[in-house]
Each structure stands twice: as C-alpha cells, then as structure tokens.
Amino acid sequence: MRKLLFIIPVILLSCTQNKKEQKAEEAKAVQTGKDPHSFSNPEEAVVNHLDLDLKVDFAKQQITGIATWTIQHPKNADEIVFDTQDLTIDKVTLDEDSTGVFFALGDKDPVLGQALSIPITNQTQKVKIYYSTAKSAAALQWLNPQQTAGKQQPFLFTQSQAILARSWIPTQDSPGIRFTYTANVEVPNNLLALMSAENPQKKSADGKYKFVQPHPIPSYLMALAVGDIAFKAIDQRTGVYAEPGMLSKVAYEFADMGKMVNAAEKMYGDYRWGRYDVLVLPPSFPFGGMENPLLTFATPTVIAGDRSLVSLVAHELAHSWSGNLVTNATWNDFWLNEGFTVYFERRIIEALYGADEAKMQEVLGYQSLMEGIKEMGDKNPDTRLKVDFTGRNPDDNVSDIAYEKGYFFLKTIEQAVGRQKFDAFLKDYFARHAFKTIDNDTFLNELNQLLIKGDEKLKKQIDSYAWVYQPGLPKEFKAPSSSVFKNIDSLTQQFLATKNAGGLSKKITSTNEKLYFIHKLPDNVGQDAMKLVDAEFNFTASKNAEVQCAWYVLAVKNKYEKAYPAIKEFLTEVGRRKFLMPIYKELAKTAEGKKSAKEIYKNARANYHSVSYSSIDDLLK
Ligand code: BES
Ligand code: ZN
C-alpha cells in the first residue's frame, strides 16, 4: 500500500549534475523490496503474533522454548520460512494437531544462519516450533556471578539487533515484519525476568513470569534479561531496573527520565508504549544502549555519577518514535533509524538542558564523524547514507555515518525549511508511519512533496542526493561550532605553545569540554605533554568511560605507558564495543602494541558478548 502512494519517481537530481551518472548510481544503491538479511518469505506467508514459552537453564546455559506463531497468507503459499541460527529444532506442529510435521533446515550461512522451511496449506493458522538454543547463541550472554555487580547470582541478557534474534527464537527476522507477543518465562526462583513488554516490578515466588506486548514490533526488538534485578520508580510512568547494589546510583543518574518523555511527547506526539523504563546491565553489555520497547537496555558505563552521559537515555527514548514506531525497512536503511534518533535526542537535550549543551554534543558528534570518515576514506561507498550491506553483516554498519551524517542531513533540512515546518513534518511523519516501515525512497519522496514542494532554491540548499547517495560530506556543508568550545581552542593552542598545563582543569571542567579538549590534542602530542595534561587532569584515573576511552586512545598513540595498567583494566572490565574497538585498533597498529592487545584479549574475551568479540576477533586475527 505504502509503495502505491508514492509511485511518482524520485526526482532529486540537480540540473548541474550529470543525470545519467546519477541515475545509475541511484539504481545501484536502491534495493528491491526483499530484505537481503532474512530468508523469510513474507510476500507469501507472514507472522503477526507470537506466543512464546521459555525455560531458562543457567546450568546448561540453554533456553528451551516453544514458539507458537500465528500466520497470515498474503498469497497462496505452500511453505513458511523462518530464520534460525544455531537452534536445535525438535518438532514442528500445525494448528491444534500435536503430531510433528516435516520441516527442513537450509544450508548454514555464517552471517544469516539457516532457513527453516515448514510446509503449510492456505488453511494453516498456527505454526508451533519446539526448539532449544546453543551455548554459542550469538544473541545471548550468560554471565557467571563474578561478572555481575553483586557477585552472587548469574545473569542472562539478549541483544537481538541487528539479526541475532534468530539465535534465540525461530523468527522471520526482518525489521519489516511486525508481530505482537505474549510470553511465559520460567527462571530460577530467586531471579527476576524482564522483556521488551509490560514488565513485573518484583520477583515472583516461583520464578514464573508472564509478559504481554500488545503492539506489533519487529523481531530485532525481542529482548530478555534475567538476574538479581530490582526496580525503583522515577515517576508515575518511568523507572529504573538494576542489580540492587547499583539501584540508587542509577536512579540518581537518570532522575530526568520522566521529563525527557514529557519533552519528547510535546515535540513529536504521544508516547505510544505505556511505561518507559531503563535496565542497567552488567559492564559486558556490548552497546551503550538498546531501545527494547518499554525497557531500554543500557550499559553501566553511562553511570558517571554526575549525570554527564544521560544523552544515552534521550537517544534510546527517542527510538520509541524513530525506530520502534517508524522502523527502517531493511538494514540498508539503517540511517533512518539512527540519524532521526540522534536528531530527536539532541532536541530532547536542548529542551531539558539548553541550546549550548545540545550544540556541544553536536560538535563532539562532528569531531567523531570527521575522524570516522577519515578512517573509512571519503570515497568509501559505506560513507553514503544509503548503504548496501547485502552479503555482509549489518552489525558491521554501525558507524558515525548512520548516526552523525544522518543527523547533519536532517539538521540541514531543519535549517533550510525552518524548525517550525520541520517539526510539523516530523510529527506527521511519526503519526503517518506508526507501526510501519520506512525506506529511503519513501522518506525522500515525502521530503520533496511535503517540504521542498518544487522550490528549486530549497532543493539545492538541501541537496538530498549528495547526502544520501554520495560518499563523504557535501562540499557546501559547514562545520558546526560551539561558543563554549571556542575558548578551549585557544586554551589548547596556548598549552601546546607554552607546555604549561597549570590551571587548565579549572577552565576545562565539564565532560563535554574534557572530551573536546582531548580530541583537540594532536595525535603526536608527545609523552611530555601527556604527562603534563595527566598531572593536571588525572585523566588516566578518570571514572568517566567516555573520557577514559578518548584518553586511552591518545595514550596508545603516544606510547604513554603510565596509562597502560588502567587501559588493561578498562579493556577487561568493559564490554562496550564502541570503547573496545578504537583502543584495540590503536594497539594493533604496532607490533608490540598488537602483542599486548592479544595478551589482554586472551583474558578479557570471556567477558565479552559475541557482538564485541566477533569484531575484535576479526581485528586481532
Ligand atoms: N540501536 C542502537 C544499538 C545497535 C545498533 C545495536 C546497531 C545493534 C546494531 C542503539 O540505539 C544505539 O544507537 N546505541 C548507541 C548509543 C548512543 C548513540 C547514545 C551505542 O550503543 O553507543
Ligand atoms: Zn540508536
């Protein structure tokens, strides 16, 4: 249906550019409707509801489950195809008949897993799959008590995005396929279970929990966490979950959650999911945050003690609109999830903490984007917003391009059409596409028809074509600047000229400022300068993970050995890929660095989730 509404072809070409060349490039970039990262056949048979029964066995590190799928038949189909990865399928039954039917598992693909094909008829309404997970299930991380804050109980969490849901649920694992769900989950009776659904706030006596997700969601938003977890309310509809020893720190850090939801609603329409809670996980969680509906999963590395990293909550909350409500059609449209979310995140930050704060975060994002583009190369096709990850793992597409280039494209539109018009557009966009998918062409069509409306000047000013289909940044793009940071530019220059760091820590005080300052120091600043800065700021011993990561990368670049024990500790404790990768990458650049990286990794790997160790295996092999 959505496609039918926009049959008018995309006309993005500016008169000055070679039209034929552009068309060819566009055609190459544009995918057909099929999701290249799923074996499923939704045009023929597609799921719309799941009833899940799970037993969580910590001793065996195994989930056994029954997934009962309710299905629909858009066409006459003689089979339905699911995605699986490393699942053992014991039995499949159809509708009310309990006799097992034939099923076939396809060849193993190292990225996509295996297709599970089940013959059905047009009358088939339910498909019941009995299965169990492997020890190696990519979505799951089983933590022993030592790897938790409390050290007493084991912990389990899932990470399904992008295509790992299939390693713990047989599912049509495409972001374009949505379903509602219920779940019965059985865990050891001293542990709490939580899902991306309406959640309990207390442990049950028997370890049995029931969940309901009444809104249709794609399978990358399926989530489960099990552990010694407690709840604390922030306000009526928001709250935090964490291990008991962490709970009050977490509640302090995220005290503004309720205000964030209010601010978000005021800009872009009602929060549609009921409650909004955050679960803070043990430090091995591979991401900063994951926008599981109703319950964001978050890394403890944002609990800085001074609320300086709470933009993460703004970000994951924003996904409740951009991503969870309006979802990228395939992982090649990933920037539509993340770019919109970073834009929305900074608008929440501006609403709560003011324009200066949002601007600083924007400039830090720009710094990071420029470093990212430099590393990838500004002709690299993966620096386009519309990417083609067919045949590759979409998890490898997590870079500043989708996030920050996406953000700056939207910011460019905002500046060209004016904030008022852009806000009205966005609010309608979220309403129009709620619980549906969005792809690149649909968004660009709507931009043309609803905002640009044939205005040649606007069209040129925005230059969607360059942003979306060309690598690097458009030539006309002007770097953002923050008045607060301007002062740090001159302080940095002064320091580099005089080699005197005395008093700097009285002038460079906030986390944003420190991050900006560290990034402004030249790569080859030298050990003497590192020593002076460290004596003044004590960055090596910082407890702020963002500061630590930035400083440790610079320390490796400059062979500043005083930081090495702290680096080793950081790499062993923390499993967040965004921090691990740049440090390991920098270490791997020299022979001796690579040797120590491998030594650290030998011990640390067991603490990492598969998302992180897969990336680092590749890097250090
Ligand atoms: N949805 C992402 C995490 C993700 C992306 C998981 C791609 C798997 C594949 C999440 O919303 C995110 O962007 N997290 C960031 C947070 C940051 C931008 C505030 C992270 O983990 O660093
Ligand atoms: Zn995100």
Side-chain angles (χ1 to χ4, degrees), residues 334 338 372 376 382-383 395-404:
F334 179 58
E338 297 300 343
M376 295 167 80
D382 292 345
T383 64
D395 268 348
D396 297 337
N397 182 34
V398 187
S399 77
D400 285 313
I401 299 303
Y403 291 79
E404 297 295 347

Side-chain angles (χ1 to χ4, degrees), residues 306-421:
D306 59 2
R307 300 179 178 167
S308 61
L309 302 177
V310 295
S311 62
L312 177 113
V313 175
H315 180 96
E316 304 311 336
L317 167 66
H319 272 306
S320 306
W321 288 258
S322 46
N324 298 2
L325 207 53
V326 182
T327 308
N328 52 204
T330 74
W331 297 116
N332 287 334
D333 305 291
F334 179 58
W335 84 269
L336 291 165
N337 268 21
E338 297 300 343
F340 275 69
T341 298
V342 174
Y343 178 82
F344 196 159
E345 163 198 338
R346 294 203 175 126
R347 291 296 302 276
I348 296 173
I349 295 299
E350 182 181 325
L352 261 76
Y353 309 114
D356 278 350
E357 177 62 32
K359 201 53 161 184
M360 282 191 272
Q361 298 193 11
E362 177 181 322
V363 173
L364 291 173
Y366 176 76
Q367 268 185 334
S368 171
L369 175 62
M370 295 318 283
E371 285 165 23
I373 293 180
K374 196 169 145 209
E375 198 183 313
M376 295 167 80
D378 65 1
K379 303 279 181 296
N380 186 330
D382 292 345
T383 64
R384 298 174 302 177
L385 286 180
K386 176 73 186 181
V387 291
D388 186 1
F389 264 68
T390 309
R392 291 188 283 165
N393 191 335
D395 268 348
D396 297 337
N397 182 34
V398 187
S399 77
D400 285 313
I401 299 303
Y403 291 79
E404 297 295 347
K405 185 178 173 183
Y407 166 80
F408 283 111
F409 176 33
L410 297 175
K411 187 76 188 170
T412 301
I413 302 170
E414 181 216 278
Q415 280 164 343
V417 305
R419 184 173 269 193
Q420 225 183 352
K421 276 196 190 152

Side-chain angles (χ1 to χ4, degrees), residues 417-454:
V417 305
R419 184 173 269 193
Q420 225 183 352
K421 276 196 190 152
F422 192 48
D423 275 357
F425 170 85
L426 283 179
K427 192 171 179 178
D428 285 350
Y429 168 92
F430 291 128
R432 198 161 54 237
H433 301 291
F435 300 108
K436 291 197 275 241
T437 58
I438 183 83
D439 62 19
N440 235 23
D441 290 356
T442 307
F443 169 63
L444 291 179
N445 269 320
E446 293 190 355
L447 171 63
N448 277 330
Q449 290 174 7
L450 302 173
L451 283 174
I452 296 179
K453 296 181 182 160

Side-chain angles (χ1 to χ4, degrees), residues 495-514:
F495 163 66
L496 292 171
T498 62
K499 295 283 179 286
N500 177 4
L504 273 186
S505 63
K506 302 250 157 18
K507 295 175 184 150
I508 299 173
T509 53
S510 70
T511 296
N512 290 335
E513 292 169 316
K514 289 175 187 169

